[in-house]
Every structure is written in C-alpha cells, then in structure tokens.
Amino acid sequence: MSLLSAYLRRQYKLLLLLLGFFVIFAAVFSLYDLPGEAVAYAAALCLALGLALFAVGYSRFLARHRELRLLLRQAREKVLPLPPPRGLLEEDYQALVQALCQDRAHLAAENENRLRDMTDYYTFWAHQIKTPIAALGLLLQEREDGGALEVELLKIEQYVEMVLSYLRLDSSSTDYVLQDCDLDGILRGAVRKLAKMFILKKITLDFQETGKTVLTDGKWLGFVVEQVLSNALKYTPEGGTIRIYGDRDTVVIADRGIGIRAEDLPRVFEKGFTGYNGRTGRKSTGIGLYLSKMVMERLYHGITVTSRPGQGTLVRLDLSRGRRVVE
C-alpha cells in the first residue's frame, strides 16, 4: 500500500486533470439533455482505458523502484551502472550523480594516501624512539637510585606501544596469529614487565595460576593484560593488593583501588573517555581500555568491568568465545 500511495501522490496532477475533464463532460452532457446511457457508456470506456494506463504506469513505477533499490546496494562504487535515462532531465540527473561518485572516489583516494603516509611516519617514529628508550633503560640499571626513573621510562615505553597498537589495529597488514598459548606464561610476562611498578608502589601481587592453554594471539592478549594491570597499578594506593586468578574460561584481574563511579562504568571502553578519576588525577589517556576492547573483539574474546567507588575494580577477560581450551 505504501508504494501504491507513493505512486498516486506522484500522479496527483494527472488525476486532478482527469477529474476536471470528467466534470466538464458531465456538465456538457447534462446541459444538452443527452441520454444517460450514452454518458454511462462513455464513462465506462474512459474508466477502462484509464485503469489500463494506470496499471501500465504502476508496473513501470515498480520496476523503476526495484532498479533504484538494487543501485542503492552499489552506492560505494566509483561508477554506478544506471539504467537508460527516460528523458533529458533524467539524463542530466544521472550525469550529476556520476560526477558526484567520481569526485567522492577521488577524495577517498586522497584521504587514503594521506592516512597511509601518516601511519607510515608514526610507525617509523615509534620504532625509532624505542632505541633511545632501551639505551636509557640500560643506563638506569647501573644506578642505585634509578627505580623511579625506570618506572617513568616504562610508562613512556607503554605509551609508545599504545601508539603502535593503535596504528596496527585497523591496518590491513595486521595478522592475528591464533594458536594454543600458555595462559599463565602470558600473565607472567605482563607481570614481569610491570615488576618495577609493583616494587616502587609496594603493591602485593596475588597470582593464582590457571593451568590453561587457550587458543589466542599471545602477543595481543599480552598487550591487553598489560593495559589492565597498568590501570590497576595506577589507581591502587601504595601497599595495596592486586589479584590475578582464573574463573572457568575467564581471567580475572582485581584490585582494591579507588574504583569507578557508576555513571562512568558504561563508557569506560569509549575512545578518549577518562571519567571522573581521569579528570581529577589527570593520569588517564582514555585509550588503553578502548584498545583492549577492540583487540578482544578481534580475538573473539570478551572483556567486562565491574567496580564500586572506594572498593576497587574487577576486570574479566572472557576467553571462551571462539576459543578452544585445553586443560
């Protein structure tokens, strides 16, 4: 009915014109006292012809509608395979549409080249900056009072890794290598990398081994674990405790830190969202959890956060979706 009403609205001028003709003819026939049978016969013939023309026009309208719907699915093409134009105005409209498609394709190609150049530059920069970071780390190891400096250098290294991960995340050259990985080995690697931060803040680690092997990309899952642990260390007061343990197909990282407000929880995975804690402490970039969420989705895993202000935060890394676990 919606298509029929649309066609009637499209043809309303013609319908009004026909109605006007009918009124004129009826008035003329009545003025000359012509037989009613003749009027009815003429009206029946006109109605039959009108219905036939209406059916033909409506069928063409439906066919055109289907053609345009099919073209809508190809809207991203550089050149649309438009049907033959029916008249000069339709030919002008089609020329305008094709010109817009070509202009859009040209702009898209320019933007893609610009993005590729920018990505290549920042990737090169991130790799180059790793060399002085590693050199500074070696120099600080020789100093007895270098603990705090080593932690700050570790933070810089983490931010560089975040830049690289952000650039690689949607890159067509990024391959996720899924294979059986030792889950405890991935967790221990992340803890070992952040060991200086644990020591400096005198934070106790309660690590309960899971004894599991999971089908995942060890490198990317390790990145997620590091991000979650880094957040836990950031917001856990000195002398606190961070727990890591397995719960069936889930890895849980829990802390007794400052927690997250209820109104901020639904948005913790949004890009750039820092929440109340990030605004007051100015320690958050709003990128770490966003990247973690994106990585977990690409690995067909899940990540959830529950928290209460003043009682701590609990992050669950669900490794069950699209996974094969070997006990």
Side-chain angles (χ1 to χ4, degrees):
M1 289 299 294
S2 60
L3 289 176
L4 179 59
S5 61
Y7 180 70
L8 291 174
R9 288 194 300 270
R10 179 185 175 91
Q11 303 293 336
Y12 80 96
K13 292 183 179 179
L14 179 60
L15 293 174
L16 289 177
L17 182 62
L18 292 176
L19 180 61
F21 286 161
F22 177 78
V23 172
I24 291 173
F25 275 98
V28 171
F29 273 63
S30 63
L31 288 174
Y32 285 90
D33 291 328
L34 295 176
E37 293 81 3
V39 177
Y41 183 67
L45 288 178
C46 290
L47 180 62
L49 180 60
L51 289 175
L53 293 176
F54 179 83
V56 172
Y58 184 60
S59 64
R60 289 181 177 177
F61 173 78
L62 290 179
R64 202 67 166 180
H65 174 71
R66 295 191 191 97
E67 288 178 354
L68 293 175
R69 284 293 179 180
L70 290 174
L71 287 173
L72 185 61
R73 301 175 185 175
Q74 307 175 40
R76 294 185 177 275
E77 298 293 332
K78 295 181 180 179
V79 178
L80 288 176
L82 296 173
R86 298 175 182 174
L88 180 60
L89 285 180
E90 191 166 325
E91 185 177 349
D92 293 338
Y93 280 126
Q94 289 192 6
L96 177 62
V97 169
Q98 296 290 18
L100 290 174
C101 288
Q102 292 176 6
D103 186 60
R104 184 190 63 185
H106 178 69
L107 290 176
E110 285 186 349
N111 289 333
E112 186 176 352
N113 291 333
R114 194 177 297 114
L115 179 62
R116 186 183 301 111
D117 291 342
M118 184 181 68
T119 302
D120 291 342
Y121 170 76
Y122 283 112
T123 302
F124 173 77
W125 175 87
H127 281 293
Q128 290 296 105
I129 203 69
K130 282 186 173 184
T131 301
I133 289 175
L136 283 173
L138 292 174
L139 292 173
L140 288 175
Q141 287 179 3
E142 299 176 359
R143 297 182 52 173
E144 295 182 357
D145 59 343
L149 294 175
E150 286 186 56
V151 169
E152 296 304 318
L153 188 62
L154 176 60
K155 293 178 182 178
I156 295 174
E157 188 176 359
Q158 280 188 301
Y159 290 139
V160 171
E161 288 295 332
M162 286 175 63
V163 170
L164 283 174
S165 299
Y166 188 83
L167 293 172
R168 294 168 180 163
L169 195 61
D170 292 321
S171 174
S172 58
S173 61
T174 300
D175 293 325
Y176 296 94
V177 182
L178 299 179
Q179 57 186 357
D180 288 330
C181 299
D182 178 18
L183 181 56
D184 292 331
I186 295 174
L187 298 173
R188 280 194 295 267
V191 171
R192 193 179 302 114
K193 190 171 182 178
L194 302 174
K196 288 287 184 181
M197 297 178 70
F198 276 95
I199 296 171
L200 188 68
K201 294 190 69 174
K202 299 181 176 61
I203 292 177
T204 304
L205 174 66
D206 180 8
F207 177 32
Q208 302 174 19
E209 294 191 351
T210 64
K212 292 183 180 293
T213 299
V214 294
L215 182 64
T216 188
D217 185 307
K219 177 182 176 181
W220 282 103
L221 182 59
F223 168 80
V224 173
V225 174
E226 286 179 24
Q227 292 301 315
V228 175
L229 274 177
S230 179
N231 279 348
L233 286 163
K234 189 183 300 180
Y235 296 112
T236 299
E238 186 173 325
T241 301
I242 294 176
R243 298 178 61 207
I244 303 176
Y245 60 93
D247 181 11
R248 296 184 180 180
D249 297 324
T250 302
V251 174
V252 180
I253 301 176
D255 65 68
R256 304 291 292 179
I258 61 177
I260 304 170
R261 288 188 170 189
E263 60 268 27
D264 289 341
L265 269 178
R267 301 185 58 191
V268 293
F269 294 114
E270 292 182 13
K271 181 168 64 174
F273 180 74
T274 58
Y276 176 79
N277 295 336
R279 291 191 298 271
T280 55
R282 298 182 180 179
K283 299 178 180 179
S284 178
T285 61
I287 296 296
L289 283 179
Y290 164 76
L291 288 175
S292 299
K293 178 74 170 179
M294 294 297 102
V295 169
M296 294 297 279
E297 286 181 353
R298 282 158 176 74
L299 295 178
Y300 301 100
H301 300 325
I303 178 171
T304 57
V305 176
T306 56
S307 181
R308 288 185 179 180
Q311 298 184 25
T313 302
L314 188 146
V315 181
R316 291 181 176 273
L317 304 181
D318 183 3
L319 308 178
S320 61
R321 289 188 295 173
R323 66 87 175 92
R324 176 167 55 87
V325 177
V326 182
E327 297 288 352

